[in-house]
Amino acid sequence: METFVLIDPLLPTGAFAHSLGLEPARIARAVGTLDETSVEASRAVETYARECAQSAIDAQLPFALAARAFAVRANEKHAREEDDDETTRAWRAANAECGALCASNAVNRRASASTGAALLRASIVAFGEERSWYLRAIKRTLRRPPPLGLGEAHHACVFGAVSAIANLDAEACARAYVYCIMRDVCSAATRLNASGPLETAAALRRCVDDAEAACAVAVADFNAATARTATSTVVDDGCTIIHHLRRAPATSALIYDVVQGAHDRARARLFNS
Amino acid sequence: MHRAFAGDPAARRACAIAALDVTRAAGTSTVTRCYAEYPVKILTPKRGIDSACDCAWAYAVNMGGGLVSGDASGATIRVDDECALAMATQGTQKVYKHDTRRWNDDVKTREGDDAWKVGETTSALYASVGQGGLLALLPDPTQVFADAVFRQTQTIDMHENGSCVCVDWITAGRIGYGNERWAFERADVRTRVTVNGEPVVVEATRLEASSRVSLNSDVSLGMRMGAANVFASLIIIGPRVRELAKSCGDWARALATRHMAHGGASWVRASADDLTQTDPQSKLFVSASDLPLPHPGVVLRFFAADTESVQDVLRSLLAPLASQLGAPPYDERGGS
């Protein structure tokens, strides 16, 4: 049931302050029209949720899976938080790559950093002192001066670390992450009156089937690209994963990503991103 | 260079095909090394460039007229301290279809992560920029034709006082040839800018046909792209282009404000047939993102219905660079 704790809106991560680009897309009329019917509206929201979730699978999910892998390795080594060991360093490198990928969309970067910090804070309290030692080690690195200090912990990397602490395997981590993306888009759609609550719930359910399959493919690709060999060390594994993070993550919802970058130019808005 | 493309042997092979060094000779930025293997050729013209400007120009030319299935192309560039280089192209980079008949046997016999990547057309560029240096990458757009499988990766490794202006754009393909729009199999385009080895901005896009398992598998890529035919990004970072970054960011934010006030992206959902290449109302949407401190810079991202709109915008935005480069970018006189 710890999976439910992770995806429950009760966990205060501030996710519902973000529309994941749906609001700017509607303001710019890239999604929805003024004279649309309710059926067309729910279909437009579903299309957007699918694009957004697939782009998250392509761009952000590899970072979540990598962060989860680093946390699992840290547990295997029984590392203690006093050690600035290779696994924490690798998490920082992954987080830096994630931040660089978000840098071309300042709105998304801001959202990722704020929800990441909130998830980190909430998870440390929710999972307790003993189990959250890895998260507390990450949090301490945020306060250090550069180049060790980060300032920003991005949501995908924090989510992966938390999923390891909640004992989620890679497939469950991927499904939980993508479900949260689709949930947040659909929730924003309802509050924006872009689609009615019942139609939105139906749209979310329709997305879930394809999301399961897409997550399975993404996890298989990640595992194949970062497979450990019998002789590889922890450092080799970390390098392999970082190399994969430099080659693979990429956004696939170009139009919505560009429009989201203009969210701050809207005259009025409900959401932070 | 080895660290930049570590774990990516295809990119390392591709960027070794050509090499260009710009160092100080006789007090000016001079091309002191210029190496290229077929199909790449590098031209270093001086006509049309203001000789009083301390900047070298180079054009990367593809002798075959484009990249075919399995081709590897690229370059390794070094811009030394206090030097400047403008790198342009002679025309659009065309990427032709992926020939599965040629590569099927390799796909069956090879195992592991790279099996599905055998035969993909690769373009890779590694550039290093020294202290006070300036690199301007000003290519023509990449046209990825139907059934192509293409991967482009660029890494610009800068000194903390280095500067770069990097344009990267991709078009829908041969729009005038039976309306062949976004008909390629896969296009993976990536630009990574690092400062002292630390990643600052990664502009990465992957567009795939609907054949693969995804949440969008019921919709073709052409339908998803709507009426957009061009995507472009403009990365401006570094102390030598601080004013340019501010002016470009201000322009983009002003245009985005107007578009957000008037539904300026509604045209993208129109049918592509409703927006012809000769449509007098050019459609373009832009957003700008300032780079996180302490790096002074901005990233502009565009999508538009036609290439000419984007070229006009780039010509206008980058005109102030003429004082540093010796010729205005994307201008007939000397630019791309």
Side-chain angles (χ1 to χ4, degrees):
Chain A
M1 279 196 179
E2 286 187 334
T3 311
F4 298 155
V5 172
L6 190 55
I7 63 175
D8 195 314
L10 186 68
L11 194 66
T13 62
F16 291 125
H18 305 277
S19 70
L20 283 79
L22 178 61
E23 184 179 39
R26 283 187 58 81
I27 292 171
R29 294 290 165 218
V31 169
T33 59
L34 290 171
D35 54 353
E36 61 190 356
T37 64
S38 62
V39 172
E40 288 169 344
S42 73
R43 197 171 300 140
V45 167
E46 182 180 343
T47 301
Y48 184 85
R50 285 174 176 272
E51 287 258 15
C52 190
Q54 185 60 47
S55 191
I57 288 173
D58 291 334
Q60 300 297 322
L61 185 58
F63 293 102
L65 295 173
R68 182 197 155 276
F70 293 143
V72 166
R73 283 156 175 76
N75 282 329
E76 287 175 356
K77 273 185 65 180
H78 300 291
R80 296 272 61 89
E81 58 193 298
E82 292 80 11
D83 301 335
D84 186 17
D85 66 349
E86 286 303 320
T87 53
T88 312
R89 196 167 296 134
W91 186 93
R92 290 202 301 275
N95 187 70
E97 291 290 336
C98 186
L101 189 64
C102 295
S104 57
N105 181 344
V107 173
N108 184 37
R109 196 190 97 245
R110 191 179 62 223
S112 175
S114 67
T115 52
L119 178 61
L120 188 63
R121 197 166 46 238
S123 302
I124 288 172
V125 175
F127 288 93
E129 287 272 328
E130 179 63 28
R131 291 176 66 186
S132 66
W133 65 268
Y134 188 72
L135 300 181
R136 285 184 283 118
I138 290 171
K139 192 175 181 185
R140 270 201 304 281
T141 67
L142 298 179
R143 299 196 195 108
R144 290 178 187 165
L148 291 175
L150 298 169
E152 291 181 347
H154 288 279
H155 181 259
C157 295
V158 176
F159 191 96
V162 174
S163 66
I165 287 162
N167 297 315
L168 270 62
D169 60 18
E171 287 77 10
C173 170
R175 287 195 295 268
Y177 184 77
V178 175
Y179 180 79
C180 288
I181 298 287
M182 295 189 298
R183 175 202 68 189
D184 292 346
V185 170
C186 291
S187 166
T190 307
R191 282 178 288 158
L192 284 169
N193 206 23
S195 177
L198 295 177
E199 292 87 357
T200 307
L204 177 60
R205 212 248 7 114
R206 284 192 296 270
C207 291
V208 159
D209 291 338
D210 293 330
E212 290 248 27
C215 287
V217 168
V219 171
D221 286 348
F222 180 84
N223 289 339
T226 59
R228 295 164 105 172
T229 63
T231 54
S232 63
T233 64
V234 169
V235 175
D236 294 337
D237 289 344
C239 286
T240 304
I241 294 174
I242 293 297
H243 293 159
H244 178 71
L245 294 180
R246 288 175 182 166
R247 287 181 59 177
T251 186
S252 56
L254 265 185
I255 291 174
Y256 299 130
D257 209 48
V258 174
V259 173
Q260 185 185 27
H263 195 187
D264 289 344
R265 315 316 303 173
R267 277 192 292 211
R269 59 185 186 176
L270 191 61
F271 293 91
N272 201 341
S273 76
Chain B
M1 189 267 283
H2 294 283
R3 190 181 63 194
F5 289 133
D8 191 349
R12 291 180 64 179
R13 279 195 302 275
C15 74
I17 284 176
L20 192 69
D21 287 358
V22 175
T23 59
R24 296 208 74 76
T28 62
S29 301
T30 307
V31 175
T32 51
R33 180 178 180 227
C34 181
Y35 168 83
E37 298 172 9
Y38 183 87
V40 174
K41 187 176 175 65
I42 298 181
L43 307 175
T44 54
K46 293 184 173 53
R47 185 173 295 184
I49 313 298
D50 184 355
S51 57
C53 257
D54 183 11
C55 180
W57 276 77
Y59 284 76
V61 177
N62 188 293
M63 299 299 287
L67 302 177
V68 298
S69 184
D71 271 355
S73 177
T76 300
I77 297 173
R78 183 171 71 93
V79 179
D80 214 359
D81 295 353
E82 307 299 333
C83 292
L85 169 68
M87 186 88 182
T89 54
Q90 201 181 32
T92 59
Q93 176 168 259
K94 301 166 184 58
V95 183
Y96 294 93
K97 68 179 179 182
H98 177 61
D99 187 350
T100 56
R101 291 170 302 171
R102 187 178 171 198
W103 297 102
N104 262 342
D105 288 341
D106 293 282
V107 171
K108 285 174 190 167
T109 55
R110 293 247 330 244
E111 293 178 0
D113 160 57
D114 288 330
W116 62 278
K117 296 188 179 70
V118 171
E120 71 178 358
T121 308
T122 307
S123 172
L125 181 140
Y126 175 78
S128 62
V129 182
Q131 181 175 2
L134 170 62
L135 172 64
L137 292 177
L138 309 168
D140 287 276
T142 301
Q143 287 181 294
V144 188
F145 293 166
D147 301 323
V149 178
F150 178 60
R151 181 167 76 97
Q152 175 183 289
T153 178
Q154 302 184 127
T155 294
I156 303 169
D157 198 358
M158 301 204 303
H159 184 275
E160 62 195 28
N161 290 325
S163 305
C164 82
V165 175
C166 178
V167 176
D168 194 17
W169 40 337
I170 182 171
T171 70
R174 289 183 285 195
I175 301 162
Y177 183 71
N179 205 27
E180 184 185 295
R181 300 180 61 252
W182 308 110
F184 47 79
E185 189 64 31
R186 184 176 71 247
D188 189 323
V189 176
R190 181 179 309 266
T191 299
R192 187 165 179 270
V193 180
T194 65
V195 173
N196 292 342
E198 294 300 314
V200 173
V201 57
V202 175
E203 178 68 17
T205 300
R206 184 161 54 247
L207 299 173
E208 295 189 72
S210 58
S211 53
R212 93 187 255 274
V213 174
S214 76
L215 282 123
N216 302 316
S217 54
D218 290 343
V219 184
S220 71
L221 181 59
M223 288 289 293
R224 287 176 52 214
M225 295 297 107
N229 288 321
V230 184
F231 284 98
S233 67
L234 170 61
I235 301 172
I236 304 172
I237 178 172
R240 286 183 67 167
V241 290
R242 194 187 303 262
E243 288 303 314
L244 180 69
K246 184 178 185 311
S247 64
C248 291
D250 290 345
W251 172 87
R253 280 184 279 271
L255 187 59
T257 301
R258 286 202 297 278
H259 283 158
M260 293 299 275
H262 301 294
S266 61
W267 60 268
V268 79
R269 289 181 291 99
S271 160
D273 294 333
D274 295 338
L275 284 178
T276 64
Q277 283 283 48
T278 57
D279 194 305
Q281 294 178 348
S282 59
K283 309 296 184 185
L284 181 143
F285 191 97
V286 64
S287 63
S289 296
D290 289 328
L291 291 176
L293 293 173
H295 308 288
V298 71
V299 179
L300 269 63
R301 303 162 91 207
F302 308 80
F303 59 84
D306 62 287
T307 313
E308 286 71 25
S309 301
V310 179
Q311 181 136 6
D312 290 342
V313 163
L314 289 174
R315 187 180 301 126
S316 167
L317 288 179
L318 299 180
L321 264 186
S323 60
Q324 295 198 64
L325 301 184
Y330 296 103
D331 183 88
E332 291 127 7
R333 282 183 293 136
S336 176

